Amino acid sequence: MSEKVVLAYSGGLDTTALIPWLKENFNYEVICCCVNCGQGAELDGLDERAKLSGASKLYIEDIVDEFCDEYIMPCVQAGAVYEHKYLLGTSMARPVIAKRLVDIARKEGASAICHGATGKGNDQIRFELAIKALAPDLKIIAPWRMTDVWTMQSREDEIEFCKQHGIDLPFDASHSYSRDRNLWHISHEGLELENPANEPNYEDLLVLGVTPENAPDQGEYVTMTFEAGVPKTLNGKAMKVSEIITELNALGGKHGIGIVDIVENRVVGMKSRGVYETPGGTILMEAHDQLEELTLDRETMETKKKLGSQFAQVVYEGKWFTPLREAIQAFVESTQKYVTGEVKFKLYKGNIIKAGTTSPYSLYNESLASFTTGDMYDHHDASGFITLFGLPLKVRALKLAEAKENNQAK
């Protein structure tokens, strides 16, 4: 009886070719698992394609709400942005996908998990660290690193391999952007983007929206409410997080929000250039940030920004199932208790423009902040504060002057 392997299956050419390859080279029974994180139409026709390619079974696992509630929202609340620009769309999805692959492997009694990530990218690290953390006994098969067995080097090679195994699929050899899509974002790599000197061909590239130049000339107001750091309503309508992100994607795409062109530092040591579309995510993170401006004190905000940056790196490096991620998330969750209120903003040609923020826990005091004298603030108190706050600077200046005077006297 053949051992079973669970294949992370997207339905694309790479993972389709892997099915007969795994059977031929390892005599595995191949069980495909497609994890739905919000890929949309990409899931159409997968069952027939997997069976046609030789898989014994296909699981299509819908984890959209789990992805949004347990992976996206911790990153939003942490303000996790990698290298100031990347909102971690692919990074956040990999651990939840790996978790479901492990679940299916346990259910089926499989001895291995196979993924189609390349040997140059970050995804191999993310998948494999998660699998090692959750199921250290399972074997991991990474064909793109097995160059003695995996000899296919191009789409033409893969198409020919499939044909030789009686699989005639609707793929052609034309090269297009390498894309990864889920509910949070879509990424684009390849073609003209491989040279940072080239401007992206946005007319062909964009999927979720338009450029700011092609956005409507009229702005659009949006209102959101949050409770303890979690979005609850959009334009007055109560929705779950996944529904809010879906609607924000449509609004943000319409107005050219969330298009990022970045050269980032991969974990494996090289730089890579990509364009990310994250329309809804960009709006959600900005709305959350606006509310935190009112409700978090200065020192908590400063500490949270530092840990948010570290959280982003932890997630980017595939270290979701680690004590460090849990510890930082615990801190972040403690800061969200009073992040409650309403945020209003206007979307206009790639911009998110503030239009008013309110919270029952706002730390903003109009009497203190105004230029008029209030009962809680005595201007004279500032003199003593500045004297003490600036004392180290004054002492240093006096000592430097004294040292200079002594040197001149010699």
Side-chain angles (χ1 to χ4, degrees), residues 9-12 15-16 19 32-36 39-53 55 57-61 169 171:
Y9 185 66
S10 68
T15 55
T16 299
I19 298 172
C32 290
C33 181
C34 177
V35 183
N36 177 18
Q39 295 95 306
E42 292 180 12
L43 303 177
D44 295 345
L46 289 193
D47 188 60
E48 181 182 357
R49 190 177 305 164
K51 298 289 178 61
L52 178 65
S53 305
K57 192 180 294 186
L58 169 67
Y59 286 88
I60 297 181
E61 298 289 292
L169 295 171
F171 299 117

Side-chain angles (χ1 to χ4, degrees), residues 93-112:
R94 294 317 186 222
V96 68
I97 291 172
K99 178 173 176 284
R100 190 54 58 98
L101 292 173
V102 168
D103 291 343
I104 298 302
R106 295 303 193 204
K107 180 179 178 179
E108 289 287 340
S111 60

Side-chain angles (χ1 to χ4, degrees), residues 218-322:
Q218 198 69 30
E220 184 171 358
Y221 284 95
V222 177
T223 302
M224 295 179 65
T225 63
F226 288 78
E227 291 179 16
V230 178
K232 294 295 182 180
T233 69
L234 178 61
N235 290 332
K237 183 180 178 181
M239 301 181 189
K240 57 185 180 180
V241 175
S242 60
E243 293 170 334
I244 288 175
I245 293 172
T246 299
E247 184 63 25
L248 288 177
N249 275 334
L251 290 167
K254 173 184 174 183
H255 291 281
I257 306 293
I259 302 169
V260 169
D261 181 352
I262 180 175
V263 175
E264 68 194 64
N265 290 292
R266 287 183 180 173
V267 183
V268 292
M270 71 183 69
K271 289 184 180 288
S272 66
R273 194 266 189 103
V275 171
Y276 297 100
E277 294 180 74
T278 320
T282 301
I283 297 170
L284 178 54
M285 293 195 80
E286 175 63 24
H288 182 267
D289 287 350
Q290 289 183 21
L291 195 54
E292 282 194 333
E293 286 181 3
L294 283 186
T295 57
L296 295 188
D297 65 276
R298 177 187 171 192
E299 290 184 331
T300 300
M301 179 80 84
E302 287 179 350
T303 301
K304 184 173 173 293
K305 284 182 178 179
K306 294 172 186 175
L307 288 177
S309 178
Q310 188 172 9
F311 194 88
Q313 186 162 335
V314 167
V315 176
Y316 187 83
E317 293 178 351
K319 298 176 181 175
W320 186 274
F321 299 107
T322 60

Side-chain angles (χ1 to χ4, degrees), residues 7-278:
L7 170 64
Y9 185 66
S10 68
L13 181 56
D14 289 346
T15 55
T16 299
L18 276 173
I19 298 172
W21 182 85
L22 286 165
K23 295 175 69 176
E24 183 176 287
N25 288 280
F26 298 95
N27 194 33
Y28 275 124
E29 177 187 344
V30 181
I31 297 163
C32 290
C33 181
C34 177
V35 183
N36 177 18
C37 299
Q39 295 95 306
E42 292 180 12
L43 303 177
D44 295 345
L46 289 193
D47 188 60
E48 181 182 357
R49 190 177 305 164
K51 298 289 178 61
L52 178 65
S53 305
S56 64
K57 192 180 294 186
L58 169 67
Y59 286 88
I60 297 181
E61 298 289 292
D62 187 342
I63 57 148
V64 170
D65 286 327
E66 180 184 357
F67 177 43
C68 291
D69 298 339
E70 299 180 25
Y71 294 80
I72 287 177
M73 282 314 303
C75 291
V76 171
Q77 291 175 344
V81 181
Y82 182 69
E83 295 188 340
H84 309 294
K85 290 184 178 181
Y86 174 41
L87 302 189
L88 300 172
T90 300
S91 311
M92 293 186 294
R94 294 317 186 222
V96 68
I97 291 172
K99 178 173 176 284
R100 190 54 58 98
L101 292 173
V102 168
D103 291 343
I104 298 302
R106 295 303 193 204
K107 180 179 178 179
E108 289 287 340
S111 60
I113 291 175
C114 177
H115 66 78
T118 73
K120 284 187 174 182
N122 296 314
D123 282 343
Q124 57 181 340
I125 300 168
R126 296 163 182 157
F127 281 130
E128 295 184 33
L129 290 190
I131 294 167
K132 289 176 188 296
L134 299 173
D137 57 302
L138 291 179
K139 289 183 286 187
I140 299 172
I141 301 174
W144 282 97
R145 300 203 305 262
M146 303 168 69
T147 53
D148 55 333
V149 187
W150 178 266
T151 57
M152 291 173 276
Q153 299 295 317
S154 66
R155 289 179 66 85
E156 290 89 349
D157 290 346
E158 292 175 320
I159 291 170
E160 182 59 31
F161 177 79
C162 287
K163 285 181 178 178
Q164 289 174 4
H165 290 78
I167 306 167
D168 189 14
L169 295 171
F171 299 117
D172 59 48
S174 63
H175 182 51
S176 62
Y177 295 104
S178 174
R179 290 182 165 116
D180 177 76
R181 182 174 184 174
N182 57 47
L183 189 68
W184 185 248
H185 88 154
I186 184 167
S187 64
H188 311 268
E189 294 180 335
L191 298 186
E192 79 277 357
L193 301 180
E194 292 185 349
N195 186 347
N198 293 334
E199 180 181 5
N201 185 1
Y202 286 119
E203 296 302 319
D204 291 336
L205 182 148
L206 296 179
V207 173
L208 300 181
V210 299
T211 60
E213 294 93 331
N214 292 324
D217 293 331
Q218 198 69 30
E220 184 171 358
Y221 284 95
V222 177
T223 302
M224 295 179 65
T225 63
F226 288 78
E227 291 179 16
V230 178
K232 294 295 182 180
T233 69
L234 178 61
N235 290 332
K237 183 180 178 181
M239 301 181 189
K240 57 185 180 180
V241 175
S242 60
E243 293 170 334
I244 288 175
I245 293 172
T246 299
E247 184 63 25
L248 288 177
N249 275 334
L251 290 167
K254 173 184 174 183
H255 291 281
I257 306 293
I259 302 169
V260 169
D261 181 352
I262 180 175
V263 175
E264 68 194 64
N265 290 292
R266 287 183 180 173
V267 183
V268 292
M270 71 183 69
K271 289 184 180 288
S272 66
R273 194 266 189 103
V275 171
Y276 297 100
E277 294 180 74
T278 320

